[in-house]
Amino acid sequence: MWDSRDAQDPASAAMLVRNSALGKSIASTLGDKRVALMRGHGNVVVGPDVQMAVRYAIYTEVNARLQAAAIAIGGPINYISAEEGAARDRAASDFGRAWELWKKKALEK
Protein backbone atom coordinates (compact mmCIF):
# COMPACT_ATOMS: atom_id res chain seq x y z
CA MET A 1 0.00 0.00 0.00
CA TRP A 2 1.43 3.37 -1.02
CA ASP A 3 0.22 6.50 0.71
CA SER A 4 1.35 9.64 -1.09
CA ARG A 5 1.37 11.52 2.22
CA ASP A 6 4.31 9.39 3.35
CA ALA A 7 6.49 11.13 0.76
CA GLN A 8 6.25 14.41 2.71
CA ASP A 9 5.92 16.33 -0.56
CA PRO A 10 3.54 19.26 -1.24
CA ALA A 11 2.38 17.58 -4.47
CA SER A 12 1.20 14.51 -2.55
CA ALA A 13 -2.27 16.00 -1.97
CA ALA A 14 -3.19 15.05 -5.56
CA MET A 15 -2.49 11.37 -4.74
CA LEU A 16 -0.69 11.04 -8.08
CA VAL A 17 2.97 10.62 -8.92
CA ARG A 18 3.80 14.05 -10.32
CA ASN A 19 7.48 14.51 -9.50
CA SER A 20 10.65 12.54 -8.80
CA ALA A 21 10.20 12.59 -5.00
CA LEU A 22 6.82 10.89 -5.35
CA GLY A 23 8.26 8.55 -7.98
CA LYS A 24 11.02 7.48 -5.60
CA SER A 25 8.46 7.01 -2.84
CA ILE A 26 6.23 4.71 -4.86
CA ALA A 27 9.24 2.86 -6.29
CA SER A 28 10.39 2.23 -2.73
CA THR A 29 6.97 0.83 -1.87
CA LEU A 30 7.02 -1.43 -4.94
CA GLY A 31 10.49 -2.75 -4.20
CA ASP A 32 10.74 -6.03 -6.10
CA LYS A 33 6.94 -6.41 -6.39
CA ARG A 34 4.79 -5.90 -9.48
CA VAL A 35 1.80 -4.12 -7.96
CA ALA A 36 1.17 -1.59 -5.22
CA LEU A 37 -2.17 -0.23 -4.10
CA MET A 38 -2.32 3.57 -4.08
CA ARG A 39 -4.36 4.99 -1.21
CA GLY A 40 -7.42 6.68 -2.63
CA HIS A 41 -6.44 6.12 -6.23
CA GLY A 42 -6.19 2.51 -7.41
CA ASN A 43 -2.97 0.71 -8.15
CA VAL A 44 0.30 0.93 -10.00
CA VAL A 45 1.59 -2.01 -12.03
CA VAL A 46 5.07 -2.53 -13.46
CA GLY A 47 6.65 -5.16 -15.65
CA PRO A 48 9.76 -5.83 -17.70
CA ASP A 49 7.94 -4.73 -20.88
CA VAL A 50 4.58 -3.30 -21.94
CA GLN A 51 3.02 -6.69 -22.64
CA MET A 52 3.85 -8.03 -19.20
CA ALA A 53 2.76 -4.84 -17.45
CA VAL A 54 -0.60 -5.04 -19.25
CA ARG A 55 -0.90 -8.71 -18.35
CA TYR A 56 -0.19 -8.01 -14.69
CA ALA A 57 -2.64 -5.09 -14.69
CA ILE A 58 -5.48 -7.10 -16.21
CA TYR A 59 -4.99 -10.16 -14.05
CA THR A 60 -4.52 -8.07 -10.90
CA GLU A 61 -8.01 -6.68 -11.38
CA VAL A 62 -9.54 -10.03 -12.37
CA ASN A 63 -7.97 -11.80 -9.40
CA ALA A 64 -8.94 -9.02 -6.97
CA ARG A 65 -12.59 -9.34 -8.04
CA LEU A 66 -12.46 -13.13 -7.67
CA GLN A 67 -10.83 -12.85 -4.25
CA ALA A 68 -13.44 -10.33 -3.09
CA ALA A 69 -16.21 -12.68 -4.27
CA ALA A 70 -14.61 -15.63 -2.47
CA ILE A 71 -14.30 -13.62 0.75
CA ALA A 72 -17.94 -12.52 0.44
CA ILE A 73 -19.10 -16.11 0.08
CA GLY A 74 -17.40 -16.96 3.37
CA GLY A 75 -15.62 -20.04 4.56
CA PRO A 76 -11.93 -20.80 4.54
CA ILE A 77 -9.78 -19.61 1.67
CA ASN A 78 -6.70 -21.62 0.82
CA TYR A 79 -4.33 -19.03 -0.65
CA ILE A 80 -1.43 -20.14 -2.81
CA SER A 81 1.92 -20.19 -1.11
CA ALA A 82 4.91 -18.05 -2.05
CA GLU A 83 6.51 -21.17 -3.50
CA GLU A 84 3.46 -21.90 -5.67
CA GLY A 85 3.42 -18.31 -6.89
CA ALA A 86 7.11 -18.44 -7.75
CA ALA A 87 6.65 -21.76 -9.57
CA ARG A 88 3.81 -20.24 -11.59
CA ASP A 89 6.00 -17.28 -12.51
CA ARG A 90 8.67 -19.66 -13.81
CA ALA A 91 6.21 -21.79 -15.81
CA ALA A 92 6.15 -21.38 -19.54
CA SER A 93 3.23 -19.25 -20.58
CA ASP A 94 1.74 -18.39 -23.92
CA PHE A 95 -0.39 -15.32 -23.62
CA GLY A 96 0.15 -14.21 -27.19
CA ARG A 97 -3.51 -14.76 -28.06
CA ALA A 98 -4.59 -12.84 -24.98
CA TRP A 99 -2.24 -9.97 -25.90
CA GLU A 100 -3.73 -9.81 -29.41
CA LEU A 101 -7.26 -9.73 -27.95
CA TRP A 102 -6.39 -6.99 -25.44
CA LYS A 103 -4.66 -4.98 -28.16
CA LYS A 104 -7.66 -5.35 -30.49
CA LYS A 105 -10.07 -4.20 -27.76
CA ALA A 106 -7.88 -1.20 -26.94
CA LEU A 107 -7.59 -0.14 -30.59
CA GLU A 108 -11.37 -0.38 -31.08
CA LYS A 109 -12.00 2.32 -28.47
Side-chain angles (χ1 to χ4, degrees):
M1 174 65 81
W2 178 70
D3 188 335
S4 60
R5 297 175 295 189
D6 294 341
Q8 309 276 326
D9 188 279
S12 67
M15 294 185 282
L16 294 173
V17 179
R18 295 182 182 261
N19 61 36
S20 62
L22 293 169
K24 288 176 185 176
S25 175
I26 200 164
S28 175
T29 296
L30 275 164
D32 64 347
K33 305 296 188 259
R34 297 180 183 138
V35 179
L37 295 177
M38 299 168 69
R39 182 192 66 82
H41 195 73
N43 65 20
V44 61
V45 181
V46 298
D49 55 48
V50 171
Q51 288 184 2
M52 290 303 285
V54 168
R55 179 183 183 190
Y56 298 152
I58 289 171
Y59 284 117
T60 295
E61 183 171 343
V62 167
N63 291 334
R65 290 180 192 277
L66 291 170
Q67 183 175 350
I71 290 168
I73 290 169
I77 297 176
N78 187 5
Y79 296 102
I80 65 171
S81 68
E83 293 79 20
E84 290 168 321
R88 177 65 191 103
D89 286 346
R90 290 189 302 272
S93 177
D94 176 22
F95 71 96
R97 288 187 319 151
W99 171 253
E100 291 303 318
L101 174 66
W102 300 330
K103 189 168 63 172
K104 181 181 175 194
K105 284 184 175 183
L107 292 172
E108 289 173 352
K109 294 184 179 196

